[in-house]
């Protein structure tokens, strides 16, 4: 039987390095830090899609699959799965690279929903 080759789904929207300042008391990377990297990455795709300001309105089905270690390269992949009237739904996968890019694994995933907003912070149509 051939081993299944798993790859990230979506486009690379953010890449950064996990640093000692981002750890929790266990010495692993703090989950809140990871979520903010995902949010930042997805927001760039939502801004590009709507060509406007955006805010995160919901984060659904967020799963932390494996701990992230200091020194891991953290990559966020985004897949825009739905454009509503004012909202955009984006599936995210976060993968880490370690050992000088010899190893990689999926560490988190979730669905982020953004709303395009106007200067007053009110929802505005996403023009397609
Ligand atoms: C996002 C915000 C502008 C929406 O305002 P609102 O008056 O509630 O807007 P609406 O009820 O018309 O919803 C707007 C869209 O969001 C969607 N939405 C709202 N709440 C949602 C939720 N919990 N889950 C999924 N989608 C949601 C609606 O379905 C609608 O989508 P559509 O236009 O594509 O059909 C407002 O709730 C807000 O400012 N929230 C704070 C955002 C924030 O501070 N985020 C954290 C920092 S970025």
């Amino acid at each position: 039987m051939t081993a299944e080759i798993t790859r990230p789904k979506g486009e690379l929207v953010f890449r950064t390095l996990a640093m000692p300042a981002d750890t929790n008391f266990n010495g692993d990377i703090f989950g809140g830090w990871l979520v903010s990297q995902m949010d930042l990455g997805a927001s760039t795709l939502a801004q590009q899609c709507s060509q406007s300001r955006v805010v995160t309105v919901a984060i659904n089905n967020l799963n932390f699959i494996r701990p992230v270690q200091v020194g891991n390269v953290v990559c966020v992949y985004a897949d825009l799965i739905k454009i509503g009237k004012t909202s955009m739904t984006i599936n995210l996968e976060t993968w880490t690279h370690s050992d000088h890019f010899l190893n990689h694994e999926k560490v988190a995933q979730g669905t982020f929903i953004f709303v395009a907003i106007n200067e007053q912070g009110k929802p505005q149509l996403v023009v397609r």
Side-chain angles (χ1 to χ4, degrees), residues 35-79:
V35 177
S36 72
Q37 310 312 303
M38 296 169 81
D39 197 25
L40 284 172
S43 73
T44 63
L45 184 60
Q47 283 178 51
Q48 187 183 10
C49 170
S50 63
Q51 303 202 321
S52 73
R53 293 170 58 187
V54 297
V55 285
T56 316
V57 72
I59 300 175
N60 295 334
N61 302 319
L62 186 61
N63 290 289
F64 297 104
I65 302 162
R66 303 251 183 278
V68 177
Q69 311 296 337
V70 170
N72 285 173
V73 176
V74 175
C75 296
V76 178
Y77 296 85
D79 188 12

mmCIF file of all heavy atoms in Angstrom, residues 35-79:
data_model
loop_
_atom_site.group_PDB
_atom_site.id
_atom_site.type_symbol
_atom_site.label_atom_id
_atom_site.label_comp_id
_atom_site.label_asym_id
_atom_site.label_seq_id
_atom_site.Cartn_x
_atom_site.Cartn_y
_atom_site.Cartn_z
ATOM 1 N N VAL A 35 -3.313 31.231 17.168
ATOM 2 C CA VAL A 35 -4.580 31.719 16.607
ATOM 3 C C VAL A 35 -4.389 33.104 15.984
ATOM 4 O O VAL A 35 -4.919 33.397 14.908
ATOM 5 C CB VAL A 35 -5.674 31.786 17.695
ATOM 6 C CG1 VAL A 35 -6.959 32.366 17.129
ATOM 7 C CG2 VAL A 35 -5.933 30.416 18.266
ATOM 8 N N SER A 36 -3.596 33.951 16.638
ATOM 9 C CA SER A 36 -3.416 35.301 16.079
ATOM 10 C C SER A 36 -2.646 35.254 14.765
ATOM 11 O O SER A 36 -2.923 36.046 13.857
ATOM 12 C CB SER A 36 -2.776 36.248 17.094
ATOM 13 O OG SER A 36 -1.435 35.942 17.287
ATOM 14 N N GLN A 37 -1.716 34.307 14.623
ATOM 15 C CA GLN A 37 -1.013 34.185 13.328
ATOM 16 C C GLN A 37 -1.995 33.739 12.240
ATOM 17 O O GLN A 37 -1.943 34.203 11.100
ATOM 18 C CB GLN A 37 0.141 33.173 13.408
ATOM 19 C CG GLN A 37 1.102 33.356 14.562
ATOM 20 C CD GLN A 37 1.575 34.781 14.719
ATOM 21 O OE1 GLN A 37 2.136 35.376 13.805
ATOM 22 N NE2 GLN A 37 1.336 35.346 15.893
ATOM 23 N N MET A 38 -2.910 32.837 12.612
ATOM 24 C CA MET A 38 -3.916 32.362 11.648
ATOM 25 C C MET A 38 -4.848 33.501 11.250
ATOM 26 O O MET A 38 -5.190 33.686 10.084
ATOM 27 C CB MET A 38 -4.705 31.183 12.239
ATOM 28 C CG MET A 38 -3.830 29.962 12.492
ATOM 29 S SD MET A 38 -4.617 28.664 13.451
ATOM 30 C CE MET A 38 -5.588 27.821 12.195
ATOM 31 N N ASP A 39 -5.240 34.280 12.260
ATOM 32 C CA ASP A 39 -6.142 35.410 12.017
ATOM 33 C C ASP A 39 -5.475 36.434 11.094
ATOM 34 O O ASP A 39 -6.100 36.943 10.146
ATOM 35 C CB ASP A 39 -6.500 36.029 13.373
ATOM 36 C CG ASP A 39 -7.718 36.917 13.336
ATOM 37 O OD1 ASP A 39 -8.568 36.724 12.452
ATOM 38 O OD2 ASP A 39 -7.827 37.797 14.194
ATOM 39 N N LEU A 40 -4.196 36.726 11.370
ATOM 40 C CA LEU A 40 -3.468 37.683 10.526
ATOM 41 C C LEU A 40 -3.394 37.186 9.083
ATOM 42 O O LEU A 40 -3.655 37.931 8.132
ATOM 43 C CB LEU A 40 -2.032 37.867 11.051
ATOM 44 C CG LEU A 40 -1.848 38.724 12.291
ATOM 45 C CD1 LEU A 40 -0.402 38.621 12.775
ATOM 46 C CD2 LEU A 40 -2.196 40.166 11.972
ATOM 47 N N GLY A 41 -3.028 35.915 8.941
ATOM 48 C CA GLY A 41 -2.892 35.354 7.593
ATOM 49 C C GLY A 41 -4.204 35.390 6.832
ATOM 50 O O GLY A 41 -4.267 35.835 5.677
ATOM 51 N N ALA A 42 -5.277 34.956 7.507
ATOM 52 C CA ALA A 42 -6.576 34.907 6.837
ATOM 53 C C ALA A 42 -7.075 36.311 6.512
ATOM 54 O O ALA A 42 -7.716 36.531 5.475
ATOM 55 C CB ALA A 42 -7.584 34.187 7.728
ATOM 56 N N SER A 43 -6.770 37.273 7.384
ATOM 57 C CA SER A 43 -7.264 38.638 7.144
ATOM 58 C C SER A 43 -6.656 39.230 5.872
ATOM 59 O O SER A 43 -7.305 40.015 5.183
ATOM 60 C CB SER A 43 -6.991 39.542 8.346
ATOM 61 O OG SER A 43 -5.623 39.858 8.438
ATOM 62 N N THR A 44 -5.429 38.836 5.546
ATOM 63 C CA THR A 44 -4.833 39.370 4.309
ATOM 64 C C THR A 44 -5.594 38.852 3.090
ATOM 65 O O THR A 44 -5.815 39.589 2.127
ATOM 66 C CB THR A 44 -3.338 39.015 4.187
ATOM 67 O OG1 THR A 44 -3.193 37.602 4.108
ATOM 68 C CG2 THR A 44 -2.531 39.560 5.345
ATOM 69 N N LEU A 45 -6.020 37.583 3.155
ATOM 70 C CA LEU A 45 -6.792 37.028 2.039
ATOM 71 C C LEU A 45 -8.173 37.695 1.955
ATOM 72 O O LEU A 45 -8.658 38.025 0.862
ATOM 73 C CB LEU A 45 -6.921 35.512 2.197
ATOM 74 C CG LEU A 45 -7.617 34.773 1.063
ATOM 75 C CD1 LEU A 45 -6.880 34.981 -0.268
ATOM 76 C CD2 LEU A 45 -7.716 33.281 1.361
ATOM 77 N N ALA A 46 -8.798 37.925 3.126
ATOM 78 C CA ALA A 46 -10.119 38.568 3.151
ATOM 79 C C ALA A 46 -10.032 40.006 2.623
ATOM 80 O O ALA A 46 -10.912 40.466 1.883
ATOM 81 C CB ALA A 46 -10.683 38.540 4.564
ATOM 82 N N GLN A 47 -8.961 40.710 2.998
ATOM 83 C CA GLN A 47 -8.777 42.084 2.481
ATOM 84 C C GLN A 47 -8.580 42.074 0.973
ATOM 85 O O GLN A 47 -9.117 42.912 0.251
ATOM 86 C CB GLN A 47 -7.538 42.722 3.106
ATOM 87 C CG GLN A 47 -7.724 43.215 4.520
ATOM 88 C CD GLN A 47 -6.411 43.779 5.050
ATOM 89 O OE1 GLN A 47 -5.782 44.607 4.416
ATOM 90 N NE2 GLN A 47 -6.003 43.295 6.201
ATOM 91 N N GLN A 48 -7.803 41.121 0.510
ATOM 92 C CA GLN A 48 -7.539 41.020 -0.930
ATOM 93 C C GLN A 48 -8.834 40.720 -1.676
ATOM 94 O O GLN A 48 -9.111 41.291 -2.731
ATOM 95 C CB GLN A 48 -6.509 39.922 -1.176
ATOM 96 C CG GLN A 48 -6.039 39.835 -2.609
ATOM 97 C CD GLN A 48 -5.075 38.673 -2.794
ATOM 98 O OE1 GLN A 48 -4.899 37.826 -1.906
ATOM 99 N NE2 GLN A 48 -4.442 38.630 -3.940
ATOM 100 N N CYS A 49 -9.654 39.827 -1.100
ATOM 101 C CA CYS A 49 -10.907 39.428 -1.735
ATOM 102 C C CYS A 49 -11.899 40.592 -1.784
ATOM 103 O O CYS A 49 -12.527 40.848 -2.809
ATOM 104 C CB CYS A 49 -11.480 38.247 -0.973
ATOM 105 S SG CYS A 49 -13.141 37.823 -1.456
ATOM 106 N N SER A 50 -12.031 41.309 -0.665
ATOM 107 C CA SER A 50 -13.057 42.359 -0.565
ATOM 108 C C SER A 50 -12.534 43.731 -0.958
ATOM 109 O O SER A 50 -13.323 44.657 -1.173
ATOM 110 C CB SER A 50 -13.579 42.432 0.868
ATOM 111 O OG SER A 50 -12.538 42.795 1.751
ATOM 112 N N GLN A 51 -11.210 43.863 -0.982
ATOM 113 C CA GLN A 51 -10.572 45.156 -1.241
ATOM 114 C C GLN A 51 -11.130 46.220 -0.305
ATOM 115 O O GLN A 51 -11.474 47.339 -0.723
ATOM 116 C CB GLN A 51 -10.709 45.543 -2.696
ATOM 117 C CG GLN A 51 -10.124 44.453 -3.589
ATOM 118 C CD GLN A 51 -9.724 44.923 -4.949
ATOM 119 O OE1 GLN A 51 -10.414 45.739 -5.531
ATOM 120 N NE2 GLN A 51 -8.621 44.424 -5.448
ATOM 121 N N SER A 52 -11.264 45.827 0.968
ATOM 122 C CA SER A 52 -11.749 46.757 1.982
ATOM 123 C C SER A 52 -11.203 46.342 3.344
ATOM 124 O O SER A 52 -10.523 45.315 3.460
ATOM 125 C CB SER A 52 -13.278 46.754 2.019
ATOM 126 O OG SER A 52 -13.740 45.554 2.614
ATOM 127 N N ARG A 53 -11.539 47.153 4.356
ATOM 128 C CA ARG A 53 -11.239 46.743 5.727
ATOM 129 C C ARG A 53 -12.067 45.507 6.054
ATOM 130 O O ARG A 53 -13.173 45.338 5.529
ATOM 131 C CB ARG A 53 -11.624 47.862 6.699
ATOM 132 C CG ARG A 53 -10.795 49.090 6.584
ATOM 133 C CD ARG A 53 -11.389 50.231 7.394
ATOM 134 N NE ARG A 53 -11.530 49.904 8.812
ATOM 135 C CZ ARG A 53 -12.142 50.684 9.703
ATOM 136 N NH1 ARG A 53 -12.699 51.832 9.319
ATOM 137 N NH2 ARG A 53 -12.207 50.330 10.968
ATOM 138 N N VAL A 54 -11.540 44.675 6.940
ATOM 139 C CA VAL A 54 -12.287 43.489 7.359
ATOM 140 C C VAL A 54 -12.142 43.316 8.866
ATOM 141 O O VAL A 54 -11.171 43.794 9.461
ATOM 142 C CB VAL A 54 -11.782 42.199 6.652
ATOM 143 C CG1 VAL A 54 -11.983 42.277 5.152
ATOM 144 C CG2 VAL A 54 -10.330 41.910 6.991
ATOM 145 N N VAL A 55 -13.117 42.633 9.465
ATOM 146 C CA VAL A 55 -12.984 42.197 10.861
ATOM 147 C C VAL A 55 -13.351 40.725 10.947
ATOM 148 O O VAL A 55 -14.138 40.216 10.148
ATOM 149 C CB VAL A 55 -13.886 42.991 11.836
ATOM 150 C CG1 VAL A 55 -13.351 44.369 12.103
ATOM 151 C CG2 VAL A 55 -15.322 43.019 11.367
ATOM 152 N N THR A 56 -12.762 40.074 11.937
ATOM 153 C CA THR A 56 -13.112 38.679 12.213
ATOM 154 C C THR A 56 -14.421 38.670 12.990
ATOM 155 O O THR A 56 -14.530 39.341 14.018
ATOM 156 C CB THR A 56 -12.032 38.032 13.103
ATOM 157 O OG1 THR A 56 -10.747 38.394 12.621
ATOM 158 C CG2 THR A 56 -12.179 36.525 13.145
ATOM 159 N N VAL A 57 -15.407 37.933 12.503
ATOM 160 C CA VAL A 57 -16.686 37.867 13.231
ATOM 161 C C VAL A 57 -16.831 36.535 13.967
ATOM 162 O O VAL A 57 -17.514 36.476 14.993
ATOM 163 C CB VAL A 57 -17.886 38.133 12.297
ATOM 164 C CG1 VAL A 57 -18.149 36.963 11.354
ATOM 165 C CG2 VAL A 57 -19.130 38.439 13.100
ATOM 166 N N ALA A 58 -16.171 35.480 13.467
ATOM 167 C CA ALA A 58 -16.283 34.173 14.135
ATOM 168 C C ALA A 58 -15.106 33.285 13.772
ATOM 169 O O ALA A 58 -14.525 33.415 12.680
ATOM 170 C CB ALA A 58 -17.588 33.486 13.735
ATOM 171 N N ILE A 59 -14.773 32.424 14.712
ATOM 172 C CA ILE A 59 -13.768 31.377 14.475
ATOM 173 C C ILE A 59 -14.438 30.069 14.870
ATOM 174 O O ILE A 59 -14.857 29.914 16.021
ATOM 175 C CB ILE A 59 -12.499 31.603 15.324
ATOM 176 C CG1 ILE A 59 -11.839 32.945 14.986
ATOM 177 C CG2 ILE A 59 -11.517 30.458 15.133
ATOM 178 C CD1 ILE A 59 -10.646 33.297 15.882
ATOM 179 N N ASN A 60 -14.547 29.153 13.915
ATOM 180 C CA ASN A 60 -15.266 27.895 14.166
ATOM 181 C C ASN A 60 -14.344 26.689 14.023
ATOM 182 O O ASN A 60 -13.419 26.697 13.201
ATOM 183 C CB ASN A 60 -16.431 27.743 13.179
ATOM 184 C CG ASN A 60 -17.486 28.815 13.390
ATOM 185 O OD1 ASN A 60 -17.632 29.344 14.493
ATOM 186 N ND2 ASN A 60 -18.202 29.150 12.336
ATOM 187 N N ASN A 61 -14.685 25.668 14.802
ATOM 188 C CA ASN A 61 -13.998 24.364 14.687
ATOM 189 C C ASN A 61 -12.482 24.478 14.733
ATOM 190 O O ASN A 61 -11.789 23.850 13.927
ATOM 191 C CB ASN A 61 -14.415 23.650 13.390
ATOM 192 C CG ASN A 61 -15.906 23.437 13.317
ATOM 193 O OD1 ASN A 61 -16.519 23.081 14.317
ATOM 194 N ND2 ASN A 61 -16.492 23.681 12.159
ATOM 195 N N LEU A 62 -11.999 25.251 15.654
ATOM 196 C CA LEU A 62 -10.546 25.399 15.769
ATOM 197 C C LEU A 62 -9.979 24.194 16.522
ATOM 198 O O LEU A 62 -10.443 23.877 17.623
ATOM 199 C CB LEU A 62 -10.222 26.697 16.515
ATOM 200 C CG LEU A 62 -8.751 27.063 16.586
ATOM 201 C CD1 LEU A 62 -8.163 27.267 15.200
ATOM 202 C CD2 LEU A 62 -8.567 28.311 17.419
ATOM 203 N N ASN A 63 -9.029 23.538 15.897
ATOM 204 C CA ASN A 63 -8.400 22.363 16.517
ATOM 205 C C ASN A 63 -6.898 22.546 16.588
ATOM 206 O O ASN A 63 -6.274 22.876 15.573
ATOM 207 C CB ASN A 63 -8.677 21.107 15.685
ATOM 208 C CG ASN A 63 -10.114 20.695 15.773
ATOM 209 O OD1 ASN A 63 -10.560 20.213 16.805
ATOM 210 N ND2 ASN A 63 -10.851 20.904 14.704
ATOM 211 N N PHE A 64 -6.354 22.295 17.769
ATOM 212 C CA PHE A 64 -4.902 22.248 17.925
ATOM 213 C C PHE A 64 -4.512 20.776 17.873
ATOM 214 O O PHE A 64 -4.911 19.994 18.748
ATOM 215 C CB PHE A 64 -4.467 22.873 19.253
ATOM 216 C CG PHE A 64 -4.807 24.335 19.348
ATOM 217 C CD1 PHE A 64 -5.878 24.765 20.116
ATOM 218 C CD2 PHE A 64 -4.070 25.279 18.663
ATOM 219 C CE1 PHE A 64 -6.201 26.105 20.208
ATOM 220 C CE2 PHE A 64 -4.382 26.634 18.742
ATOM 221 C CZ PHE A 64 -5.446 27.049 19.517
ATOM 222 N N ILE A 65 -3.759 20.406 16.871
ATOM 223 C CA ILE A 65 -3.505 18.989 16.599
ATOM 224 C C ILE A 65 -2.196 18.512 17.239
ATOM 225 O O ILE A 65 -2.127 17.419 17.793
ATOM 226 C CB ILE A 65 -3.483 18.753 15.069
ATOM 227 C CG1 ILE A 65 -4.819 19.202 14.469
ATOM 228 C CG2 ILE A 65 -3.187 17.311 14.727
ATOM 229 C CD1 ILE A 65 -4.793 19.436 12.979
ATOM 230 N N ARG A 66 -1.176 19.346 17.162
ATOM 231 C CA ARG A 66 0.145 19.013 17.726
ATOM 232 C C ARG A 66 0.740 20.273 18.358
ATOM 233 O O ARG A 66 0.503 21.369 17.858
ATOM 234 C CB ARG A 66 1.126 18.577 16.635
ATOM 235 C CG ARG A 66 0.685 17.417 15.807
ATOM 236 C CD ARG A 66 1.509 16.170 16.114
ATOM 237 N NE ARG A 66 1.095 15.082 15.254
ATOM 238 C CZ ARG A 66 0.046 14.306 15.485
ATOM 239 N NH1 ARG A 66 -0.692 14.490 16.540
ATOM 240 N NH2 ARG A 66 -0.274 13.337 14.657
ATOM 241 N N PRO A 67 1.561 20.120 19.388
ATOM 242 C CA PRO A 67 2.220 21.301 19.951
ATOM 243 C C PRO A 67 3.264 21.868 18.985
ATOM 244 O O PRO A 67 3.848 21.133 18.189
ATOM 245 C CB PRO A 67 2.885 20.775 21.228
ATOM 246 C CG PRO A 67 2.980 19.312 21.070
ATOM 247 C CD PRO A 67 1.892 18.886 20.128
ATOM 248 N N VAL A 68 3.457 23.163 19.084
ATOM 249 C CA VAL A 68 4.473 23.853 18.268
ATOM 250 C C VAL A 68 5.661 24.151 19.167
ATOM 251 O O VAL A 68 5.491 24.511 20.328
ATOM 252 C CB VAL A 68 3.884 25.162 17.692
ATOM 253 C CG1 VAL A 68 4.937 25.937 16.911
ATOM 254 C CG2 VAL A 68 2.670 24.867 16.814
ATOM 255 N N GLN A 69 6.849 23.959 18.636
ATOM 256 C CA GLN A 69 8.067 24.166 19.418
ATOM 257 C C GLN A 69 8.784 25.435 18.971
ATOM 258 O O GLN A 69 8.670 25.845 17.806
ATOM 259 C CB GLN A 69 9.029 22.975 19.229
ATOM 260 C CG GLN A 69 8.391 21.615 19.406
ATOM 261 C CD GLN A 69 7.877 21.361 20.817
ATOM 262 O OE1 GLN A 69 8.349 21.990 21.767
ATOM 263 N NE2 GLN A 69 6.908 20.471 20.958
ATOM 264 N N VAL A 70 9.536 25.998 19.912
ATOM 265 C CA VAL A 70 10.397 27.144 19.574
ATOM 266 C C VAL A 70 11.329 26.744 18.424
ATOM 267 O O VAL A 70 11.876 25.641 18.425
ATOM 268 C CB VAL A 70 11.228 27.566 20.806
ATOM 269 C CG1 VAL A 70 12.308 28.576 20.413
ATOM 270 C CG2 VAL A 70 10.320 28.140 21.880
ATOM 271 N N GLY A 71 11.453 27.620 17.461
ATOM 272 C CA GLY A 71 12.337 27.355 16.318
ATOM 273 C C GLY A 71 11.601 26.775 15.127
ATOM 274 O O GLY A 71 12.160 26.738 14.018
ATOM 275 N N ASN A 72 10.352 26.314 15.337
ATOM 276 C CA ASN A 72 9.571 25.814 14.197
ATOM 277 C C ASN A 72 9.239 26.976 13.261
ATOM 278 O O ASN A 72 8.919 28.074 13.725
ATOM 279 C CB ASN A 72 8.253 25.191 14.653
ATOM 280 C CG ASN A 72 8.392 23.824 15.294
ATOM 281 O OD1 ASN A 72 7.417 23.290 15.818
ATOM 282 N ND2 ASN A 72 9.572 23.237 15.281
ATOM 283 N N VAL A 73 9.280 26.707 11.973
ATOM 284 C CA VAL A 73 8.755 27.663 11.001
ATOM 285 C C VAL A 73 7.258 27.398 10.886
ATOM 286 O O VAL A 73 6.839 26.260 10.643
ATOM 287 C CB VAL A 73 9.443 27.501 9.621
ATOM 288 C CG1 VAL A 73 8.817 28.441 8.600
ATOM 289 C CG2 VAL A 73 10.932 27.750 9.744
ATOM 290 N N VAL A 74 6.461 28.426 11.131
ATOM 291 C CA VAL A 74 5.000 28.283 11.178
ATOM 292 C C VAL A 74 4.404 28.869 9.895
ATOM 293 O O VAL A 74 4.638 30.039 9.578
ATOM 294 C CB VAL A 74 4.439 29.012 12.424
ATOM 295 C CG1 VAL A 74 2.921 28.981 12.436
ATOM 296 C CG2 VAL A 74 5.005 28.401 13.695
ATOM 297 N N CYS A 75 3.676 28.030 9.162
ATOM 298 C CA CYS A 75 3.110 28.449 7.880
ATOM 299 C C CYS A 75 1.585 28.336 7.936
ATOM 300 O O CYS A 75 1.054 27.297 8.337
ATOM 301 C CB CYS A 75 3.612 27.548 6.751
ATOM 302 S SG CYS A 75 5.386 27.660 6.503
ATOM 303 N N VAL A 76 0.910 29.391 7.525
ATOM 304 C CA VAL A 76 -0.554 29.410 7.519
ATOM 305 C C VAL A 76 -1.042 29.343 6.062
ATOM 306 O O VAL A 76 -0.625 30.149 5.225
ATOM 307 C CB VAL A 76 -1.088 30.682 8.207
ATOM 308 C CG1 VAL A 76 -2.613 30.715 8.150
ATOM 309 C CG2 VAL A 76 -0.605 30.766 9.650
ATOM 310 N N TYR A 77 -1.921 28.375 5.800
ATOM 311 C CA TYR A 77 -2.487 28.182 4.462
ATOM 312 C C TYR A 77 -3.981 28.479 4.511
ATOM 313 O O TYR A 77 -4.671 28.042 5.446
ATOM 314 C CB TYR A 77 -2.265 26.751 3.977
ATOM 315 C CG TYR A 77 -0.804 26.421 3.804
ATOM 316 C CD1 TYR A 77 -0.037 25.992 4.878
ATOM 317 C CD2 TYR A 77 -0.179 26.579 2.572
ATOM 318 C CE1 TYR A 77 1.319 25.714 4.735
ATOM 319 C CE2 TYR A 77 1.177 26.290 2.416
ATOM 320 C CZ TYR A 77 1.908 25.864 3.499
ATOM 321 O OH TYR A 77 3.251 25.600 3.354
ATOM 322 N N ALA A 78 -4.471 29.203 3.525
ATOM 323 C CA ALA A 78 -5.860 29.658 3.558
ATOM 324 C C ALA A 78 -6.587 29.261 2.280
ATOM 325 O O ALA A 78 -6.025 29.337 1.175
ATOM 326 C CB ALA A 78 -5.899 31.180 3.724
ATOM 327 N N ASP A 79 -7.847 28.872 2.461
ATOM 328 C CA ASP A 79 -8.676 28.446 1.338
ATOM 329 C C ASP A 79 -10.033 29.158 1.476
ATOM 330 O O ASP A 79 -10.792 28.857 2.409
ATOM 331 C CB ASP A 79 -8.843 26.917 1.427
ATOM 332 C CG ASP A 79 -9.517 26.332 0.221
ATOM 333 O OD1 ASP A 79 -9.657 27.043 -0.793
ATOM 334 O OD2 ASP A 79 -9.918 25.146 0.304
#
